[in-house]
Amino acid sequence: MTDRHLSFEFFPPKTPEGRDKLRATQRQLARFQPEFFSVTYGAGGSTREHTRDIVLEIQQSGSCATPHLSFGGDSKESVLALLQGYKDEGLKRIVALRGDLPSGMGGMAQLVYANQLVAFIREHFGDTFELLVACYPEIHPEAESYDRDIYWLGQKFQAGANRAITQYFYNPDAYFYYLEQCQKAGIDQPIIPGIMPIINFQNLVRFSDNCGADIPRWIRQRLQQFGDDSASVKAFGLDVVTALCETLLAGGAPGLHFYTMNQADTCATLCRNLGFAER
Ligand code: FAD
């Protein structure tokens, strides 16, 4: 089944060991021939060079790489230079985001909304890049309301975005209801579910508290009970996330985008469970 979208997201590691591990992770996941590997961009441009270096290395390895990008506190000139570099290297796609300011930078810099970044990229680079944007089936934590958050997603598409990737969620109804509401608002571009494998309970709680993703009570209770028993956490996580992905794909989701946390094994098992072909 090759018509389902598949992509994997990495973050730029801070150490040479982390970088080596990421190379091995990418090699392992490349067997599933994803449409692209995306690489996150640190708030305020903090990973600018790391993101670029990893993206270029992935691209040179023969896979498609997609950098995430936000203005953060950067100048127009430096964002243009980064984009020009990506164009020169033949990159075809960007994930365009507002991002969040790192703590301590509040008030020092103006956040540029994602619809403004999309418009900026289209103004300066035309159709050079396919542009993906973020969206939130459980609604962005700063949104004025459910409808306003969908309105701003529509504005990202109006500005020239092509597809969206969702924040992760564990309740498929949140995604299907969101799709319906988007369609009612005139949005018919593909919305790819972002999938967070369950590997470590403490980390999952920390991320979810930060980004406003809901961990349903029954999942939270089950994981809490496993405590330090990481084998049981992983086994339960695989069951839950496999079932979630099956429901999403059966319900018409265009494919899946995995938040890998730079780890290959769980995502590889999920892909096998879901019948993604392996080279
Ligand atoms: P926007 O779409 O700009 O929305 C931000 C908020 O403002 C929303 O509440 C929206 O309703 C509202 N809004 C939108 N436009 C306007 C406007 N013009 N005027 C007024 N209000 C508006 N973070 C990183 O730091 N690095 C990454 O690499 C990264 N990758 C991500 C990838 C995905 C797939 C996802 C889902 C998230 C990612 N994030 C990343 C997190 C993201 O940057 C944060 O969630 C951030 O708070 C919002 O970014 P956005 O692009 O969705 O913002």
Side-chain angles (χ1 to χ4, degrees):
M1 278 182 262
T2 50
D3 53 338
R4 301 179 300 184
H5 167 89
L6 178 65
S7 51
F8 297 109
E9 180 172 313
F10 298 143
F11 63 85
K14 293 200 173 89
T15 62
E17 296 74 31
R19 188 80 178 259
D20 286 344
K21 190 181 155 219
L22 181 58
R23 286 188 186 101
T25 295
Q26 191 230 326
R27 271 198 302 276
Q28 201 177 330
L29 294 176
R31 293 188 201 141
F32 295 97
Q33 301 178 67
E35 186 183 345
F36 59 82
F37 290 101
S38 80
V39 184
T40 62
Y41 192 72
S46 57
T47 69
R48 191 179 307 110
E49 282 75 26
H50 290 315
T51 297
R52 190 192 53 211
D53 292 352
I54 293 166
V55 158
L56 297 187
E57 191 176 321
I58 293 173
Q59 191 80 0
Q60 278 152 17
S61 77
S63 294
C64 280
T66 299
H68 294 206
L69 180 67
S70 58
F71 253 98
D74 284 352
S75 66
K76 279 184 183 179
E77 290 67 32
S78 78
V79 174
L80 283 175
L82 193 54
L83 285 163
Q84 187 61 46
Y86 288 148
K87 181 180 175 184
D88 294 344
E89 294 291 341
L91 297 193
K92 299 266 178 279
R93 202 177 284 108
I94 306 277
V95 179
L97 301 148
R98 184 198 72 170
D100 295 307
L101 283 180
S103 49
M105 258 183 96
M108 283 171 62
Q110 185 81 39
L111 282 174
V112 173
Y113 288 109
N115 67 311
Q116 298 168 330
L117 176 58
V118 169
F120 178 82
I121 299 173
R122 287 286 177 239
E123 178 192 341
H124 291 278
F125 291 90
D127 289 335
T128 302
F129 302 108
E130 187 201 9
L131 298 179
L132 288 102
V133 290
C135 68
Y136 304 83
E138 292 173 343
I139 301 306
H140 187 263
E142 293 161 37
E144 298 159 85
S145 69
Y146 194 105
D147 284 346
R148 288 298 281 171
D149 209 30
I150 289 185
Y151 169 80
W152 289 118
L153 175 62
Q155 290 302 297
K156 298 194 240 193
F157 286 122
Q158 287 287 328
N162 303 96
R163 291 188 278 179
I165 301 174
T166 75
Q167 183 58 277
Y168 67 87
F169 55 87
Y170 294 103
N171 178 356
D173 289 341
Y175 172 78
F176 291 124
Y177 182 76
Y178 183 72
L179 283 194
E180 270 175 38
Q181 301 311 306
C182 286
Q183 276 158 12
K184 281 185 188 160
I187 295 169
D188 56 8
Q189 287 84 351
I191 296 184
I192 303 163
I195 305 296
M196 177 68 89
I198 299 175
I199 302 171
N200 176 300
F201 179 49
Q202 273 75 30
N203 287 347
L204 184 67
V205 170
R206 191 161 45 84
F207 292 140
S208 304
D209 287 348
N210 277 339
C211 70
D214 182 46
I215 309 174
R217 182 176 158 79
W218 66 277
I219 295 182
R220 205 179 262 269
Q221 291 289 330
R222 199 78 182 115
L223 289 170
Q224 235 156 21
Q225 185 198 316
F226 292 134
D228 294 335
D229 178 359
S230 61
S232 294
V233 170
K234 280 185 192 165
F236 172 72
L238 277 172
D239 284 349
V240 167
V241 177
T242 300
L244 169 69
C245 295
E246 284 170 347
T247 305
L248 293 171
L249 292 169
L256 302 168
H257 175 84
F258 285 99
Y259 297 107
T260 68
M261 306 311 291
N262 292 2
Q263 300 193 37
D265 288 347
T266 308
C267 287
T269 306
L270 286 166
C271 287
R272 281 184 204 111
N273 289 351
L274 296 164
F276 281 97
E278 198 172 356
R279 253 192 319 205

